[in-house]
Amino acid sequence: MLFRFLPLTVKTFQGKTCSNLSSRNFKILLRSGAVSNGSYEIPARQYYKRPHSEVPPASFSFLTVDLRSDTVTKPGAAMRRAMAEAEVGDDVFGEDPTVNELQRQMAELLGTEDTLFVPSGTMGNLISVMCHCSERGAELLVGDESHIHLYEQGGTSQLAGVHPRTLMTLPDGTFDLNELEYKICHNYPDPHYPRTCLICLESTHNMKGGCVLPLSFFKEIRTIADKYKLAVHLDGARLLNAAVSLNIQPSEIVQYCDSVMMCFSKAVGAPVGSIIGGSKDFIQKAVRMRKALGGGMRQVGVLAAAALEAMSDAMERLKADHLNARRFAEGILTFSSPLLSVDLTTVQTNIVKFKVEDTRISPEEFCKSLQTVTEADTSSRSERVAVLMSPYPGGRVRAVWHHQVSAHDTDLTVQKVKYVTEKYKTQLLTS
């Protein structure tokens, strides 16, 4: 089956042609500035590095605002108390009451028949792929800038024997539906082709700055999946952020998917663990896969208790994170031009990506300046502050808000960025 596309050549960062685009998504690329002279350059993939993440020792006191990720949170007193007092049992036998309660509550929240607690989001995604793609050499369709494809060590192929076929990720985290339908293996069971079994989505989308996939896109994906009898898995590591942004319940998103993974160690602030949800049959298979991957953790109620505590007021706390992220983005826009830029339309949840426009300053150098504190630091009248952020490809810097960064911390961060920016402007004018 062939489909007609606009005559737009799309290139990877290595210059190889990868696909064409429909008019709807061509317009998205035009608005974002990603399309220029008939080509779309995909940025180099980002690896997790810590080039300037440690605050140097100092003889004076200062505050550290850690915005590298929402995974850096530490358990507070209430969470530690819940962990210490948790009633536990052998979860591999299904006898841990705290885990069972967490799974019951999460099935209700996600609108799935059942759920399963797993050690990490990476394992949760891998288990889900293995359950949907039961034969080795099966194929999944996934965005080329998705977390599953970039940051999980190719586990779907390395461990599950599943072949990933990539779709070009658009600036809003979606991908072209014509490209999706074209890349489904229509000629199976011809022995030359793998069998397409699964479509993987991601919301919020990590590499696209925490953007939220619209419900209309989920509906369109569901229609195509049903047409070709494919399953849909959602990497919802920050699913609650997406739900808060859309002002809906998580179940309203998950209803279009056959399975979902959500992290407790990211946005909601628990130290360990993720949940996967789906039908009862899916979860029965997932239990077996979890055991094979070493994810049976016995008296794991001490961790499930932390997740339960984190979830008790998660939705309200996430609203504050989103407001603080927006507060920061709007704040730096007031003074940073022409050195820094940020597109407010992309600031939809708790992640802000801003660009260092002057190529003489690398994102790594800018991050190092933010985390440097000296006695001469006058970025704030009230207290000295070190700010930790992450450098990204394309001259960008990423900052991620979480519940241990307050509005006051955010204001101090804006002042620190202003202080560093003004110093750079002075240096560049005199150089």
Side-chain angles (χ1 to χ4, degrees):
M1 184 180 296
L2 298 177
F3 295 87
R4 305 182 70 173
F5 302 93
L6 284 177
L8 170 69
T9 301
V10 180
K11 298 179 180 179
T12 69
F13 63 92
Q14 295 174 324
K16 297 179 181 178
T17 300
C18 63
S19 78
N20 290 305
L21 289 176
S22 70
S23 58
R24 178 180 76 89
N25 291 314
F26 177 60
K27 291 176 181 177
I28 293 175
L29 288 172
L30 280 176
R31 288 197 300 270
S32 72
V35 172
S36 177
N37 296 325
S39 68
Y40 170 64
E41 297 299 321
I42 298 176
R45 70 176 60 187
Q46 166 69 24
Y47 295 97
Y48 287 112
K49 302 176 183 178
R50 296 180 61 191
H52 305 297
S53 62
E54 296 299 328
V55 178
S59 58
F60 48 84
S61 63
F62 57 88
L63 172 72
T64 300
V65 181
D66 195 340
L67 297 170
R68 289 172 297 162
S69 175
D70 46 4
T71 62
V72 300
T73 58
K74 297 177 181 178
M79 187 176 289
R80 290 182 182 274
R81 184 165 56 251
M83 295 170 73
E85 298 174 356
E87 186 180 356
V88 299
D90 192 319
D91 182 49
V92 175
F93 294 161
E95 295 174 356
D96 191 303
T98 308
V99 174
N100 292 341
E101 176 59 19
L102 174 65
Q103 291 172 166
R104 184 195 67 78
Q105 288 190 23
M106 290 307 300
E108 184 176 332
L109 180 72
L110 299 174
T112 58
E113 289 182 356
D114 206 353
T115 63
L116 181 68
F117 186 66
V118 295
S120 70
T122 295
M123 183 183 284
N125 283 332
L126 179 59
I127 288 172
S128 299
V129 170
M130 293 173 73
C131 289
H132 291 304
C133 304
S134 56
E135 61 187 55
R136 292 187 67 81
E139 179 180 84
L140 66 86
L141 296 171
V142 63
D144 61 353
E145 292 187 66
S146 70
H147 196 281
I148 287 176
H149 186 62
L150 293 182
Y151 296 131
E152 298 181 10
Q153 208 184 108
T156 57
S157 55
Q158 180 183 177
L159 301 174
V162 176
H163 168 62
R165 192 171 191 190
T166 58
L167 306 162
M168 192 185 71
T169 307
L170 298 173
D172 64 350
T174 65
F175 36 75
D176 186 84
L177 297 176
N178 286 341
E179 183 189 3
L180 167 66
E181 198 161 5
Y182 175 75
K183 286 189 171 180
I184 295 170
C185 282
H186 303 285
N187 294 316
Y188 180 87
D190 184 302
H192 295 89
Y193 301 100
R195 181 181 183 179
T196 307
C197 295
L198 178 64
I199 302 168
C200 292
L201 307 176
E202 182 179 337
S203 190
T204 66
H205 200 288
N206 180 39
M207 282 297 286
K208 294 305 179 183
C211 67
V212 179
L213 302 189
L215 282 183
S216 58
F217 181 70
F218 279 98
K219 293 177 183 177
E220 291 172 312
I221 291 292
R222 184 73 263 169
T223 298
I224 293 174
D226 289 344
K227 179 180 179 180
Y228 295 102
K229 297 181 172 56
L230 306 179
V232 178
H233 172 67
L234 173 61
D235 176 354
R238 297 183 176 90
L239 174 65
L240 293 192
N241 292 95
V244 167
S245 178
L246 295 172
N247 195 29
I248 59 176
Q249 289 299 308
S251 57
E252 296 182 57
I253 301 173
V254 177
Q255 66 177 315
Y256 301 106
C257 307
D258 297 283
S259 61
V260 60
M261 183 282 297
M262 193 194 87
C263 285
F264 297 119
S265 58
K266 286 191 170 69
V268 302
V272 178
S274 294
I275 201 84
I276 53 178
S279 67
K280 288 188 178 297
D281 180 63
F282 171 84
I283 295 299
Q284 286 178 355
K285 293 176 183 176
V287 170
R288 289 186 56 80
M289 297 301 180
R290 185 184 70 172
K291 181 65 176 175
L293 295 173
M297 297 184 291
R298 305 300 177 180
Q299 287 75 28
V300 74
V302 292
L303 298 179
L308 282 167
E309 175 65 27
M311 290 297 298
S312 63
D313 61 348
M315 303 290 272
E316 288 303 313
R317 287 191 286 108
L318 292 183
K319 291 178 183 178
D321 294 344
H322 294 188
L323 288 173
N324 285 332
R326 185 83 181 185
R327 184 188 189 104
F328 168 78
E330 291 175 344
I332 66 172
L333 275 182
T334 62
F335 60 81
S336 59
S337 182
L339 190 63
L340 305 179
S341 65
V342 60
D343 181 357
L344 287 179
T345 65
T346 67
V347 184
Q348 300 174 17
T349 53
N350 65 323
I351 300 176
V352 178
K353 278 189 177 181
F354 59 92
K355 188 172 184 180
V356 183
E357 295 288 354
D358 196 307
T359 57
R360 291 173 290 181
I361 307 168
S362 70
E364 290 81 6
E365 182 184 354
F366 194 85
C367 288
K368 184 177 182 180
S369 297
L370 288 177
Q371 63 99 52
T372 300
V373 185
T374 67
E375 288 190 278
D377 191 329
T378 57
S379 59
S380 169
R381 296 178 181 178
S382 57
E383 52 190 319
R384 298 182 182 91
V385 60
V387 176
L388 307 186
M389 294 184 183
S390 301
Y392 256 63
R396 298 183 185 278
V397 174
R398 188 183 84 152
V400 187
W401 268 257
H402 48 81
H403 72 277
Q404 291 179 339
V405 176
S406 66
H408 175 64
D409 297 335
T410 302
D411 290 339
L412 290 176
T413 299
V414 172
Q415 292 170 28
K416 180 73 176 195
V417 173
K418 181 179 181 180
Y419 173 73
V420 169
T421 300
E422 293 300 327
K423 288 186 67 175
Y424 274 122
K425 287 179 180 178
T426 301
Q427 291 172 12
L428 294 173
L429 282 173
T430 57
S431 62

